[in-house]
Amino acid sequence: MNADHVDSNPRLNLCYAMPTMQLYQAISGGEFVGWDDSALKMLISFYMNKPESRDYDMKPNVDKEESYVKDITDIDERRNWLHNEFRFMFSNRPRHKLPYEIFDWESNLKMTLLY
């Protein structure tokens, strides 16, 4: 799947975008200057857009029986592994193996010895 086969690709995500619109030009004296009603109508229409049911499966790769972590029956291995990996991934902690660090004195010493 690349740009060479974009016309024949059945799995294609399209993103339709509108041109940039300004809701207002400026604020002066507590009032909006240059208010644009069409931009507000477009924003409201995006927020009021309701999802529609499709004729095809939107999640073909998700297992029907185990779609949630709580539904995994093999608690000892898979569920605990997934729980630990997910918790570690979203804890924003640094990795357990930090990269090798070159201290300033070490860098200066090695550079002076090389030249």
Side-chain angles (χ1 to χ4, degrees):
M1 293 189 192
N2 54 28
D4 297 334
H5 306 287
V6 71
D7 295 328
S8 63
N9 184 6
R11 296 181 180 198
L12 181 66
N13 291 332
L14 293 177
C15 178
Y16 296 102
M18 300 295 292
T20 304
M21 299 176 70
Q22 287 190 342
L23 187 58
Y24 57 89
Q25 299 294 328
I27 300 176
S28 65
E31 295 184 6
F32 295 108
V33 176
W35 182 260
D36 189 7
D37 286 334
S38 63
L40 182 63
K41 287 179 184 178
M42 187 185 325
L43 280 174
I44 292 173
S45 69
F46 285 144
Y47 282 114
M48 293 183 65
N49 190 10
K50 292 183 181 179
E52 300 173 357
S53 61
R54 304 269 169 43
D55 295 335
Y56 51 89
D57 188 13
M58 296 293 289
K59 299 183 276 184
N61 299 326
V62 176
D63 189 12
K64 304 292 186 227
E65 288 82 27
E66 296 178 346
S67 59
Y68 298 103
V69 175
K70 67 180 178 102
D71 296 333
I72 296 176
T73 57
D74 188 10
I75 295 175
D76 292 338
E77 293 181 22
R78 285 183 55 214
R79 185 174 175 183
N80 289 335
W81 176 83
L82 184 61
H83 177 73
N84 291 334
E85 289 297 316
F86 185 80
R87 185 173 52 181
F88 180 76
M89 186 171 28
F90 287 97
S91 66
N92 292 327
R93 285 186 243 152
R95 291 284 186 197
H96 63 281
K97 285 187 174 181
L98 294 175
Y100 179 72
E101 182 178 358
I102 298 177
F103 298 104
D104 291 336
W105 65 267
E106 188 179 12
S107 174
N108 292 337
L109 181 67
K110 288 181 180 179
M111 290 300 189
T112 55
L113 291 177
L114 288 177
Y115 294 109

